[in-house]
Amino acid sequence: MRLTVLGCYAATPRTLTNPTSQVLEINNQVVLIDCGEGTQVELRRHKIKFSRINHIFISHLHGDHFFGLPGFISTMRLLGREKALHVYGPKGIKEAITLLLKLGDSWTNYPLLFHELTSKEQELIFEDDKISVTTIPLDHRVYTNGYLFREKLGKRKLNVTAAEKYGIDKAYYNNIKNGKNITLDNGTIVSNSELTFDPPEPKSYAFCSDTVYDESLAEKIKNVDVLYHESTFLETETDLAVKTKHATAKQAAMVAKEANVKTLVLGHYSTRYKSIALFKEEASTIFNNVLLADDGKTFDF
Ligand SMILES: [Zn+2]
């Protein structure tokens, strides 16, 4: 599982920082999460092919999380995209984007499919044989969802040495890979677990931005491998965090601890602070495995 952070700062684009956007590669699926201004440029900078992205998940309709989307959709048209593009986001996103396309008489020549969200309950919104995606309802100034991405359990891997030891013909290897036991010529049954290795543990990633500190959040993301939680402010600005419905680094760490996640990644920093190292310092007093997102940073989990 690989996370590439294209942008992770709050509010406005600046010379050296971008608003929220990230690419998650999970079980060979490539998804885009939020699409702030600058997303296209950063995708190019990181040599991530636009055509590999088939699903875009938008958390909420504040500009710093989706103002890059119309441009991205339009560029796909210019690049001659034919495959369908799926956009998940709050109700209203379809109207906003289609109005822009309509005014410019620039309808896409590929299917552009919107999946508008309205539920305040956690819901499964995408599933294939590789991954599932569930919403994480968040508490922000407007209707907002985080997203929980989970890999599906892969197939068991053939243990060739074990199969050879029992003298099993290669013709049965596919059956073994598909979970079957094997009966030897002498009638002995060799169980599948003796002939295969366990598949790798499925990974999970929870994206939670933007949100005020919410105690009930931990329950929805229990035991995930990686939690990205916004930390717009430090503890000194807790009042401001409450007022603007954002979280502090300490609060993000409290959620990580309560949810028993393996790794916490912080981001969505207010640009008022001199160094983002302060966020890690604060969160580390509560939770011991804290990483700092930064524009252009890639994490392999
Ligand atoms: Zn917001």
Side-chain angles (χ1 to χ4, degrees):
M1 187 167 74
R2 168 173 283 191
L3 177 70
T4 304
V5 178
L6 305 178
C8 67
Y9 287 79
T12 60
R14 301 186 310 161
T15 315
L16 297 174
T17 66
N18 294 302
T20 304
S21 184
Q22 32 184 265
V23 173
L24 180 68
E25 296 183 53
I26 179 167
N27 225 352
N28 293 321
Q29 278 271 22
V30 180
V31 304
L32 184 66
I33 308 168
D34 278 347
C35 191
E37 284 176 79
T39 297
Q40 292 189 60
V41 177
E42 294 307 314
L43 283 171
R44 289 198 191 276
R45 201 190 305 282
H46 296 287
K47 300 190 166 41
I48 297 168
K49 280 195 178 146
F50 290 25
S51 59
R52 290 190 71 198
I53 297 168
N54 300 319
H55 299 270
I56 302 176
F57 298 87
I58 302 293
S59 61
H60 65 301
L61 298 183
H62 281 154
D64 56 337
H65 292 257
F66 94 110
F67 278 179
L69 187 59
F72 182 80
I73 286 169
S74 162
T75 295
M76 292 282 214
R77 171 179 176 247
L78 297 174
L79 294 176
R81 185 186 177 100
E82 290 175 358
K83 271 189 302 180
L85 179 66
H86 296 264
V87 178
Y88 301 77
K91 186 169 173 51
I93 195 168
K94 181 176 179 180
E95 187 187 352
I97 299 295
T98 49
L99 176 63
L100 291 172
L101 299 178
K102 185 178 156 192
L103 293 173
D105 193 18
S106 53
W107 298 110
T108 61
N109 45 3
Y110 58 89
L112 179 60
L113 304 165
F114 289 94
H115 305 266
E116 294 197 311
L117 306 171
T118 53
S119 176
K120 289 189 174 154
E121 302 296 324
Q122 196 160 24
E123 58 179 339
L124 177 73
I125 53 169
F126 174 77
E127 189 171 30
D128 66 4
D129 57 342
K130 294 201 166 85
I131 64 165
S132 68
V133 187
T134 314
T135 58
I136 308 168
L138 298 174
D139 183 2
H140 190 43
R141 302 196 303 279
V142 293
Y143 176 73
T144 304
N145 284 295
Y147 296 100
L148 174 54
F149 301 84
R150 284 188 190 281
E151 285 182 351
K152 293 273 180 76
L153 187 67
K155 276 190 176 176
R156 299 184 67 83
K157 293 237 158 46
L158 177 70
N159 180 345
V160 177
T161 315
E164 283 174 351
K165 191 183 89 186
Y166 284 106
I168 295 168
D169 194 283
K170 282 182 182 154
Y172 294 104
Y173 282 9
N174 251 341
N175 283 351
I176 297 172
K177 283 186 209 164
N178 288 327
K180 298 254 169 59
N181 298 330
I182 296 293
T183 307
L184 302 178
D185 292 344
N186 64 9
T188 312
I189 294 172
V190 185
S191 78
N192 187 267
S193 61
E194 275 192 73
L195 301 168
T196 52
F197 297 112
D198 290 342
E201 275 288 306
K203 302 261 174 65
S204 51
Y205 175 68
F207 170 87
C208 295
S209 181
D210 297 358
T211 185
V212 72
Y213 171 62
D214 174 7
E215 270 183 357
S216 70
L217 177 55
E219 202 49 51
K220 297 171 192 139
I221 54 171
K222 209 83 187 166
N223 303 321
V224 299
D225 290 294
V226 184
L227 165 65
Y228 175 91
H229 193 293
E230 75 134 279
S231 55
T232 308
F233 298 110
L234 294 174
E235 202 182 0
T236 40
E237 277 69 48
T238 304
D239 288 353
L240 195 54
V242 172
K243 200 171 139 199
T244 57
K245 291 216 167 186
H246 282 296
T248 66
K250 188 178 175 185
Q251 290 168 338
M254 284 157 68
V255 174
K257 191 178 176 190
E258 185 61 30
N260 192 37
V261 309
K262 288 201 183 89
T263 305
L264 169 65
V265 181
L266 296 176
H268 201 267
Y269 316 111
S270 160
T271 52
R272 72 183 53 224
Y273 303 105
K274 282 212 168 61
S275 162
I276 60 171
L278 298 168
F279 290 87
K280 181 166 178 174
E281 219 171 86
E282 182 175 298
S284 298
T285 61
I286 305 282
F287 186 76
N288 63 11
N289 192 13
V290 181
L291 300 174
L292 291 175
D294 207 351
D295 295 9
K297 223 173 178 179
T298 293
F299 300 94
D300 286 304
F301 298 109

